[in-house]
Amino acid sequence: MKPAGLRFEDWLALTQLYADYASVVDSGNWDAWPEFFTEDCIYRLQPRENHERGFPLATLAFTSKGMLKDRVYGIRETLFHDPYYQRHVVGTPVVRGIEPGRFRCEANYAVFRTKLSDATTVFNVGRYLDLVVATPEGLRFASRECIYDSEMIPNSIIYPV
Amino acid sequence: MSGPAPCFPESPRWETDGTHRIPFAAYTSEEIHRRELERFFYRGHWCYAGLEAEIPEAGDFKRTSIGERSVILVRGADGAVHVVENVCAHRGMRFCRERHGRRKEFTCPYHQWSYALDGSLQGVPFRRGVRQDGQVHGGMPPDFRVEDHGLQKLKVARRGGVVFASFDPDVEPFEDFLGTAILGYFDRMFDGRRLRILGYNRQRIPGNWKLMQENIKDPYHPGLLHTWFVTFGLWRADNKSQLRMDARHRHAAMISTRGTGGKAGQVTQVSSFRETMSLHDPSFLDIVPEPWWGGPTAVMTTIFPSVILQQQVNSVSTRHIQPNGHGSFDFVWTHFGYEDDDDAMTRRRLTQANLFGPAGFVSADDGEVIEFSQQAFESKPFHRAVAELGGREVGDTEHMVTETLIRGMYRYWREVMEDDGGPR
């Protein structure tokens, strides 16, 4: 059911934001990833178990755009890891609530991982719980929580979900 | 006729009586793996079951694993802590499917056999048969005793809010198992304050379980692999440090005190090290010393075979090793805090948790190197690893430029694994 007051232009901008995000995190252009967020953003990658049981621990828990940039630095410079491609398939966002310039949204996602010389596997599956805000530069995530169903992380997660 | 040595030896071949050359075949065989389960996880050792804070109320349970066997950690009505095996006494079903919850009793859905929280069998449907037309049909034999058919009950040890369990009724007391030195580091972290569970991380690492024990007995790598650590002085070759073991060298503690930072390049020998690296957001390193540390800023304790206790500045966790065959294990992280933590300390522990776990700035790469070691072991099991930094002997040190803890673990491993059952 479409929440009352969702304008067509907003809907278009939201779906574009979700598509752009998926495109960027799959592109390897890590520097572009923090730019989807506000300065004092929240980004969390959290097991569904912790989320539903009220445990605050997240696999990654960032509370500023600066931390996202630090993560990019870690990915590029300090974290030793097997290189891999990732491919996000993101569902159409469900808009749960609207206030002026703010949208609460959710979207399902699946991330596939392809390691070099190897077959593609399902890597991480869950849903985004988002707060999207309008800024002079366009829509940005004030908060993006990736709540994943996947019970076992296949060894490690390096790149942003 | 001579040719190359066989690629797939029948058993691991040690080059010497020492343990400074570790055969790859110690990691690649199901037969050895089963013997390890038998001799380390199921006999003569205490294995980690969980934290009492996970089951605070009567009837609270947590399903977990010891070795490859599913067990239930549960608090009884009287507050006692039980660990019972998740195998119905009737047809053997692994009946408990939820991972946590609260129960008055356990019932296997297959035939409704029910058990008290301590694992005692209390109900068997149709035990006395069915009465029909004045006759009793079926039922269990008259000599069937419920007392003989409970869930397998493990021996339980509780200390400082941590629960260990053993399938072996003759296992030595937990305190003797740890030994004085390691017990001291255990008590430092679990000093009687109630724990507050912060949450879990779970990862499946495609490598032999021993590699994780070795990773945390290896103070050679953190300053080299984990560039992140180096830059901020959290783990450097020149940090004040000690390595300690129990008398049998199976458990160990790596004790380190953070240096003052800066000029790290002189001692790192890391090519990727950047003197100029700085954080956009320094709150990752908002470290506040706590009184219970008593000096060291990091103590990593390996309790053989099942668990690692982590204190890295303000981040504390248990890391539970749950093998799945010789080439894979599940690694379950339970992060916690203490009852007297204020909100700022809880936030700090959660923020520093970004360094650890399956995506952590300094832990994600540990899983990666274990995977790639296992890949090579599988393809070349006749070969061996070298662990000779700091010599070929085994002993406590006042520095960390040594692989002595790995040699110590394998000295113990050989004692136990090569024991042919002769007189003790």
Side-chain angles (χ1 to χ4, degrees):
Chain A
M1 193 172 69
K2 200 180 96 168
L6 182 62
R7 298 178 307 163
F8 180 76
E9 313 80 279
D10 291 337
W11 172 249
L12 194 62
L14 277 172
T15 52
Q16 195 62 54
L17 176 75
Y18 279 69
D20 285 345
Y21 183 95
S23 167
V24 161
V25 290
D26 292 345
S27 72
N29 179 17
W30 309 126
D31 285 328
W33 172 58
E35 301 310 319
F36 283 88
F37 293 84
T38 59
E39 285 299 326
D40 55 354
C41 66
I42 289 169
Y43 175 86
R44 290 161 61 80
L45 173 68
Q46 189 184 39
R48 178 170 175 167
E49 174 186 17
N50 290 351
H51 179 75
E52 293 187 348
R53 295 179 68 181
F55 292 132
L57 183 76
T59 307
L60 289 174
F62 302 145
T63 50
S64 70
K65 190 172 177 175
M67 283 186 168
L68 270 57
K69 291 179 177 171
D70 290 330
R71 180 66 182 181
V72 169
Y73 186 87
I75 292 168
R76 189 174 290 134
E77 302 289 343
T78 75
L79 270 165
F80 169 71
H81 63 279
D82 220 5
Y84 63 92
Y85 305 128
Q86 63 177 9
R87 185 67 51 195
H88 283 63
V89 178
V90 179
T92 309
V94 180
V95 181
R96 298 286 189 198
I98 302 174
E99 292 168 35
R102 295 158 65 87
F103 307 91
R104 286 218 167 267
C105 309
E106 267 181 55
N108 291 339
Y109 71 81
V111 186
F112 299 88
R113 181 176 71 174
T114 310
K115 286 193 168 193
L116 304 183
S117 313
D118 222 330
T120 300
T121 56
V122 179
F123 183 48
N124 190 266
V125 172
R127 61 181 174 142
Y128 295 122
L129 300 182
D130 298 324
L131 176 61
V132 178
V133 296
T135 75
E137 293 77 38
L139 295 180
R140 293 288 182 271
F141 293 106
S143 171
R144 166 151 268 195
E145 294 184 274
C146 319
I147 309 296
Y148 58 90
D149 297 343
S150 309
E151 278 279 311
M152 282 294 164
I153 290 173
N155 204 347
S156 59
I157 292 182
I158 308 294
Y159 306 146
V161 168
Chain B
M1 197 175 78
S2 70
C7 189
F8 301 99
E10 301 227 328
S11 57
R13 195 180 70 80
W14 294 81
E15 290 182 6
T16 69
D17 288 339
T19 52
H20 51 94
R21 298 283 173 93
I22 305 155
F24 288 0
Y27 307 92
T28 58
S29 133
E30 267 321 298
E31 187 192 334
I32 287 171
H33 179 63
R34 283 195 287 267
R35 196 183 308 161
E36 289 175 340
L37 288 172
E38 186 85 42
R39 297 189 176 190
F40 297 131
F41 287 90
Y42 305 149
R43 191 199 305 162
H45 292 70
W46 288 101
C47 288
Y48 177 80
L51 302 174
E52 291 204 38
E54 295 176 276
I55 50 162
E57 305 293 334
D60 284 351
F61 74 88
K62 177 184 95 157
R63 176 171 55 74
T64 181
S65 293
I66 288 181
E68 298 183 355
R69 293 163 76 170
S70 177
V71 299
I72 307 165
L73 167 69
V74 57
R75 190 176 295 275
D78 57 355
V81 171
H82 308 286
V83 178
V84 295
E85 190 166 15
N86 183 16
V87 174
C88 179
H90 175 220
R91 299 285 295 168
M93 193 172 114
R94 199 176 264 193
F95 60 91
C96 177
R97 309 309 303 175
E98 287 99 347
R99 193 164 41 212
H100 70 100
R102 186 174 297 172
R103 291 281 182 281
K104 289 198 164 57
E105 59 178 20
F106 294 114
T107 302
C108 176
Y110 199 174
H111 302 88
Q112 298 286 317
W113 283 36
S114 67
Y115 303 92
L117 296 175
D118 70 354
S120 307
L121 179 62
Q122 49 182 26
V124 175
F126 304 123
R127 181 179 168 198
R128 307 203 187 282
V130 175
R131 183 171 291 277
Q132 194 178 28
D133 303 330
Q135 281 190 309
V136 176
H137 298 295
M140 298 301 272
D143 62 351
F144 178 87
R145 286 159 38 90
V146 289
E147 295 81 358
D148 297 339
H149 297 275
L151 302 175
Q152 179 156 0
K153 301 175 187 181
L154 283 75
K155 204 165 173 178
V156 170
R158 300 160 65 176
R159 191 174 175 99
V162 191
V163 184
F164 283 77
S166 180
F167 284 105
D168 186 348
D170 299 322
V171 65
E172 65 190 312
F174 178 70
E175 287 71 18
D176 296 349
F177 173 70
L178 285 195
T180 315
I182 301 302
L183 189 63
Y185 290 105
F186 182 93
D187 288 345
R188 169 181 174 274
M189 193 161 158
F190 301 105
D191 57 8
R193 284 178 295 167
R194 290 177 73 94
L195 307 180
R196 191 186 299 164
I197 305 298
L198 297 179
Y200 304 98
N201 269 316
R202 299 172 193 275
Q203 63 187 132
R204 181 161 293 166
I205 300 179
N208 184 270
W209 66 273
K210 296 191 292 299
L211 289 168
M212 186 47 84
Q213 284 279 347
E214 290 171 52
N215 184 266
I216 309 297
K217 291 177 188 287
D218 163 17
Y220 189 10
H221 85 279
L224 299 166
L225 176 64
H226 306 312
T227 320
W228 219 90
F229 258 163
V230 181
T231 308
F232 301 105
L234 286 172
W235 196 276
R236 281 169 36 176
D238 62 341
N239 280 0
K240 183 167 171 283
S241 52
Q242 294 98 35
L243 303 182
R244 294 290 180 267
M245 287 175 272
D246 68 312
R248 301 192 69 182
H249 314 110
R250 50 192 175 185
H251 316 307
M254 301 196 298
I255 304 117
S256 168
T257 304
R258 187 189 181 200
T260 48
K263 299 295 168 215
Q266 293 158 12
V267 291
T268 61
Q269 302 176 20
V270 179
S271 56
S272 58
F273 173 74
R274 306 273 192 283
E275 191 78 62
T276 54
M277 175 174 164
S278 64
L279 289 169
H280 289 93
D281 189 330
S283 47
F284 288 123
L285 290 170
D286 168 31
I287 293 161
V288 172
E290 301 175 62
W292 63 271
W293 294 359
T297 50
V299 177
M300 298 296 297
T301 309
T302 39
I303 311 268
F304 193 82
S306 68
V307 72
I308 291 149
L309 311 176
Q310 169 207 324
Q311 179 238 330
Q312 281 283 0
V313 286
N314 299 116
S315 177
V316 280
S317 74
T318 63
R319 308 178 182 178
H320 188 182
I321 296 170
Q322 304 175 0
N324 327 289
H326 77 269
S328 169
F329 63 97
D330 292 348
F331 203 37
V332 179
W333 304 61
T334 306
H335 282 257
F336 60 89
Y338 300 93
E339 60 180 338
D340 53 350
D341 290 349
D342 59 16
D343 290 347
M345 182 55 81
T346 300
R347 260 198 314 278
R348 192 172 292 123
R349 296 197 200 288
L350 291 167
T351 299
Q352 289 177 26
N354 281 301
L355 276 60
F356 308 102
F361 279 105
V362 294
S363 292
D365 28 24
D366 286 327
E368 298 284 289
V369 297
I370 286 172
E371 178 174 352
F372 310 148
S373 297
Q374 187 72 27
Q375 287 175 354
F377 297 168
E378 296 287 354
S379 67
K380 195 178 180 180
F382 65 89
H383 198 54
R384 79 286 181 278
V386 177
E388 300 185 355
L389 190 75
R392 299 189 176 91
E393 299 307 310
V394 172
D396 292 351
T397 67
E398 306 304 313
H399 64 85
M400 58 168 95
V401 198
T402 176
E403 292 168 311
T404 190
L405 303 182
I406 295 174
R407 293 190 291 273
M409 186 184 93
Y410 277 101
R411 180 182 286 185
Y412 177 70
W413 188 91
R414 291 192 69 177
E415 280 169 24
V416 174
M417 292 291 283
E418 294 173 4
D419 183 347
D420 59 5
R424 287 162 196 247

